[in-house]
């Protein structure tokens, strides 16, 4: 536990990994480095494969940071790697099946190359029944560790390399916060910055609260210093991550709200854009929407998943809001930010017991919200969640038809949305070369739309005002606005 840090808000119930513990991991990191230099002439290669959400992408960047420190270089080719690590996702069955398939495919490679280490980590591995299945059915896997053991990866890897026994590390705790783990980022202009971990919501379909532990917020000063570091390294788009960013700071004393954090970051010097995800409608406040509208560096993009448009289903999902409350938030956001606002959402189709009539309410909400983009999923039962125990009479094929209805509708909405942008000017970040022709560059709007325009490569990595001249199907065509 961390107390008195000179007046700052501190987490009083969260275990923060101490500097001494992290120092111990540095020692294991050098031990691995020594072993590697004895075993291999050149830097051995590591292949890090990531499944699932942005939090996993962020975790994998820390795994790569630790591996880099241990003396590994990197490859995307599993068959060239001396270490293959899968950072897994447990949110839907499909993601789990892919992991099992891909791990199985490594069996031959491992048998032919016994010095190769196969490691599995992340949300799926935090579940006991999965770890047990790996233990029984995949004897060639050397190391399995859950989400709460990420910061001790150097120690676990050293043990797996030096001991003849397989290593399974699944601490049954509510989670920790570890500051100062090395990081190796995938992109040099776009960065992920977790501001909190875990989830306390227990939506009845969701496995996340069981595998990611309780909500815990990083201290403002730690977030600000990482943010400033990113800006000084030239990062232009920084996405704040949390399962439910609207709960940020509730566990700190004195409390800090997510809006306050946004205002602090918005006031920092530099040319950058702040994004955030995910917001939960239950905790999304009018104050947050006003903050988005008022802070010039905060993108006017709101990822606010509604999951269902039917109040009975929302209640059965334990979402804590109604369709009406959701619409009130969206309408207020539109009032404040007008055409600048871009809304995206997640939807689950075929929750246990959902009828076609109830599903129709989701379809009608899709029509009302007119989102820029939707992430749609067919319900997938997850071991240990309340929904997995509920009657689920509708067939998967039927649910797939419902999903297709939503996708059809959203396609029409997206085409209409694109047309509405004709003639408008957006502040965009120029991300790289475009696809429409040799001289074209691609730029991203606040709402994550891509506009392509003709321009010289020196504009890559800058913000430009770009006017839309022609909406195409998936991209907008534009030109730099003349003053
Ligand atoms: N089945 C289908 N979709 C799910 N999601 C979470 N759990 C499940 C599940 N059991 C979806 C939700 C969430 C997104 C990240 O994944 O829509 O917002
Ligand atoms: Fe899962 Fe609900 Fe938490 Fe999101 S808010 S991670 S859907 S339990």
């Amino acid at each position: 536990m961390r107390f008195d840090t000179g007046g700052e808000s501190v987490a009083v119930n969260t275990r923060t990994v101490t500097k001494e513990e992290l120092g111990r991991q540095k020692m294991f990191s050098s031990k691995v480095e020594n072993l590697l230099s004895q075993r291999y002439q050149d830097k051995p290669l590591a292949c890090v494969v990531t499944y699932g959400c942005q939090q996993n992408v962020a975790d994998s960047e820390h795994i790569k940071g630790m591996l880099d420190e241990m003396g590994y270089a990197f490859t995307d080719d599993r068959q060239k790697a001396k270490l293959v690590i899968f950072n897994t996702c447990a949110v839907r069955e499909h993601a789990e099946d892919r992991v099992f398939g891909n791990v199985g495919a490594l069996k031959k490679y491992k048998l032919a190359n016994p010095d190769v280490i196969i490691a599995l980590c992340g949300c799926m591995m935090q579940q006991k029944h999965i770890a047990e299945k790996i233990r029984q059915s995949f004897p060639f896997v050397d190391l399995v560790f859950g989400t709460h053991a990420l910061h001790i990866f150097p120690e676990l890897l050293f043990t797996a390399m030096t001991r003849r026994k397989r290593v399974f590390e699944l601490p049954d705790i509510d989670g920790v916060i570890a500051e100062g783990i090395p990081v190796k980022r995938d992109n040099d202009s776009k960065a992920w910055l977790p501001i909190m971990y875990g989830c306390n919501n227990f939506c009845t379909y969701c496995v996340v609260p069981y595998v990611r532990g309780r909500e815990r917020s990083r201290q403002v000063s730690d977030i600000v210093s990482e943010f400033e570091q990113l800006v000084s390294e030239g990062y232009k788009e920084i996405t704040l991550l949390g399962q439910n960013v609207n709960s940020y700071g509730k566990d700190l004393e004195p409390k800090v709200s997510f809006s306050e954090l946004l205002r602090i970051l918005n006031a920092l010097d530099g040319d950058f854009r702040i994004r955030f995800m995910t917001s939960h409608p239950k905790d999304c406040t009018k104050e947050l929407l006003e903050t988005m509208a008022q802070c010039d560096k905060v993108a006017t993009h709101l990822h606010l998943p509604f999951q269902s448009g039917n109040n009975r289903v929302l209640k059965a999902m334990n979402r804590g809001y109604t369709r009406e409350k959701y619409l009130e938030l969206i309408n207020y956001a539109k009032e404040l930010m007008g055409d600048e606002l871009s809304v995206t959402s997640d939807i689950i189709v075929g929750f246990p017991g959902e009828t076609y009539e109830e599903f129709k309410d989701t379809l009608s909400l899709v029509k009302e919200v007119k989102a820029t983009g939707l992430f749609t999923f067919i319900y997938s039962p997850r071991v240990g969640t309340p929904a997995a125990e509920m009657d689920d009479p509708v067939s998967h094929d039927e649910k797939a038809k419902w999903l297709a209805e939503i996708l059809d509708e959203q396609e029409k909405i997206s085409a209409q949305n694109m047309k509405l942008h004709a003639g408008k000017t957006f502040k965009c970040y120029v991300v790289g070369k475009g696809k429409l022709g040799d001289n074209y560059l691609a730029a991203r709007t606040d709402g994550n739309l891509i506009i392509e325009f003709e321009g010289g490569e020196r504009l890559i990595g800058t913000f430009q005002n770009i006017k839309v001249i022609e909406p195409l199907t998936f991209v907008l065509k534009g030109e730099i606005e003349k003053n």
Side-chain angles (χ1 to χ4, degrees):
M1 277 193 228
R2 251 194 215 179
F3 293 101
D4 193 21
T5 55
E8 210 208 335
S9 290
V10 291
V12 287
N13 289 318
T14 300
R15 196 176 82 77
T16 303
V17 175
T18 60
K19 287 210 167 63
E20 292 70 38
E21 280 174 85
L22 285 176
R24 222 172 90 80
Q25 294 307 316
K26 294 257 180 239
M27 179 194 80
F28 281 108
S29 184
S30 339
K31 285 186 170 197
V32 173
E33 195 175 12
N34 282 338
L35 266 182
L36 295 178
S37 61
Q38 285 162 23
R39 286 188 193 174
Y40 306 108
Q41 258 185 337
D42 297 326
K43 274 191 169 200
L45 299 176
C47 176
V48 182
V49 184
T50 310
Y51 298 83
C53 68
Q54 281 76 14
Q55 181 57 54
N56 261 18
V57 174
D59 284 349
S60 285
E61 292 184 338
H62 285 291
I63 290 171
K64 285 181 208 167
M66 290 185 267
L67 288 170
D68 183 52
E69 205 169 75
M70 291 183 241
Y72 282 94
F74 296 93
T75 176
D76 289 331
D77 185 346
R78 292 165 208 187
Q79 310 273 336
K80 285 194 180 134
K82 293 293 178 200
L83 168 78
V84 183
I85 177 162
F86 290 145
N87 187 9
T88 63
C89 168
V91 140
R92 280 171 296 275
E93 195 177 359
H94 178 65
E96 292 193 341
D97 288 345
R98 276 174 59 214
V99 169
F100 285 128
N102 287 330
V103 175
L106 284 176
K107 183 175 176 182
K108 254 182 156 172
Y109 179 58
K110 168 77 184 184
L111 293 180
N113 302 275
D115 63 323
V116 167
I117 299 275
I118 312 275
L120 307 176
C121 66
C123 292
M124 194 176 156
M125 298 307 137
Q126 187 64 39
Q127 303 171 98
K128 287 204 176 75
H129 72 282
I130 298 281
E132 207 38 51
K133 178 162 172 180
I134 300 289
R135 202 191 288 275
Q136 305 287 340
S137 313
F138 298 86
F140 55 93
V141 171
D142 304 285
L143 167 60
V144 171
F145 60 100
T147 50
H148 304 315
L150 187 80
H151 62 287
I152 59 166
F153 175 46
E155 180 174 356
L156 297 174
L157 184 56
F158 179 74
T159 314
M161 289 170 95
T162 51
R163 213 172 65 174
R164 288 191 182 278
K165 258 170 78 186
R166 311 162 75 197
V167 178
F168 283 77
E169 181 72 22
L170 308 162
D172 191 9
I173 54 174
D174 284 343
V176 298
I177 288 197
E179 295 293 348
I181 303 180
V183 59
K184 191 173 186 316
R185 297 184 195 269
D186 295 337
N187 190 296
D188 53 16
S189 66
K190 222 174 134 178
W192 309 112
L193 199 171
I195 58 166
M196 61 186 298
Y197 307 95
C199 182
N200 288 355
N201 289 318
F202 291 94
C203 300
T204 52
Y205 51 80
C206 188
V207 76
V208 169
Y210 304 90
V211 294
R212 285 266 175 198
R214 297 292 62 74
E215 281 174 2
R216 49 209 188 274
S217 305
R218 291 178 70 191
Q219 285 184 209
V220 175
S221 60
D222 290 325
I223 296 171
V224 168
S225 60
E226 185 170 346
F227 197 100
E228 285 180 326
Q229 175 75 23
L230 288 169
V231 173
S232 75
E233 287 170 13
Y235 284 90
K236 299 289 184 200
E237 294 208 291
I238 301 172
T239 305
L240 311 180
L241 294 179
Q243 301 298 341
N244 174 12
V245 289
N246 308 110
S247 290
Y248 175 78
K250 286 184 181 167
D251 56 330
L252 298 177
E253 262 177 37
K255 289 190 184 11
V256 183
S257 74
F258 181 54
S259 297
E260 282 170 300
L261 179 70
L262 279 180
R263 287 184 192 278
I264 292 169
L265 299 176
N266 187 68
L268 298 177
D269 285 338
D271 197 17
F272 55 82
R273 183 150 64 186
I274 308 168
R275 298 181 180 279
F276 58 90
M277 64 194 301
T278 292
S279 289
H280 194 306
K282 167 175 72 74
D283 304 303
C284 179
T285 57
K286 292 197 166 168
E287 188 200 355
L288 171 66
L289 303 175
E290 286 153 11
T291 305
M292 284 175 75
Q294 287 158 10
C295 291
D296 58 325
K297 293 176 186 169
V298 176
T300 48
H301 174 201
L302 186 62
H303 181 59
L304 194 66
F306 57 76
Q307 313 294 1
S308 163
N310 176 272
N311 286 341
R312 189 204 64 82
V313 175
L314 285 171
K315 195 151 197 251
M317 288 177 164
N318 190 31
R319 290 290 289 174
Y321 57 87
T322 59
R323 173 195 178 99
E324 292 72 27
K325 158 97 193 294
Y326 184 85
L327 275 172
E328 196 184 314
L329 286 169
I330 293 295
N331 290 335
Y332 188 57
K334 284 183 180 167
E335 211 175 282
L336 291 172
M337 289 172 263
D339 291 346
E340 301 265 304
L341 177 73
S342 150
V343 177
T344 51
S345 178
D346 296 345
I347 295 177
I348 296 180
V349 171
F351 182 78
E354 184 178 6
T355 65
Y356 185 64
E357 284 311 306
E358 289 170 336
F359 158 77
K360 284 274 193 169
D361 287 339
T362 301
L363 195 59
S364 80
L365 190 55
V366 167
K367 289 181 193 169
E368 268 191 76
V369 172
K370 293 195 181 10
T372 324
L374 291 180
F375 301 89
T376 48
F377 311 102
I378 292 182
Y379 167 74
S380 170
R382 305 286 66 212
V383 172
T385 60
E389 307 298 317
M390 297 176 189
D391 274 351
D392 190 4
V394 178
S395 71
H396 192 273
D397 283 357
E398 184 63 22
K399 292 179 184 183
K401 284 188 201 147
W402 299 1
L403 181 72
E405 281 193 55
I406 291 204
L407 296 179
D408 269 2
E409 190 55 49
Q410 184 58 26
E411 208 176 295
K412 285 183 219 148
I413 293 169
S414 296
Q416 282 162 10
N417 283 348
M418 292 293 255
K419 281 196 198 126
L420 289 177
H421 297 315
K424 280 190 212 156
T425 299
F426 292 92
K427 184 183 176 196
C428 298
Y429 177 69
V430 186
V431 282
K433 301 273 287 170
K435 292 186 183 140
L436 293 179
D438 277 352
N439 306 328
Y440 278 85
L441 298 177
R444 199 174 319 116
T445 68
D446 255 19
N448 255 337
L449 295 169
I450 295 292
I451 310 187
E452 291 211 9
F453 67 103
E454 283 187 88
E457 283 186 33
R458 70 193 156 74
L459 297 179
I460 295 174
T462 63
F463 284 101
Q464 299 293 332
N465 287 324
I466 302 177
K467 184 172 176 181
V468 177
I469 48 175
E470 189 188 352
L472 305 174
T473 319
F474 298 109
V475 294
L476 299 162
K477 201 161 144 185
E479 61 186 14
I480 293 201
E481 188 168 68
K482 298 170 191 94
N483 295 320

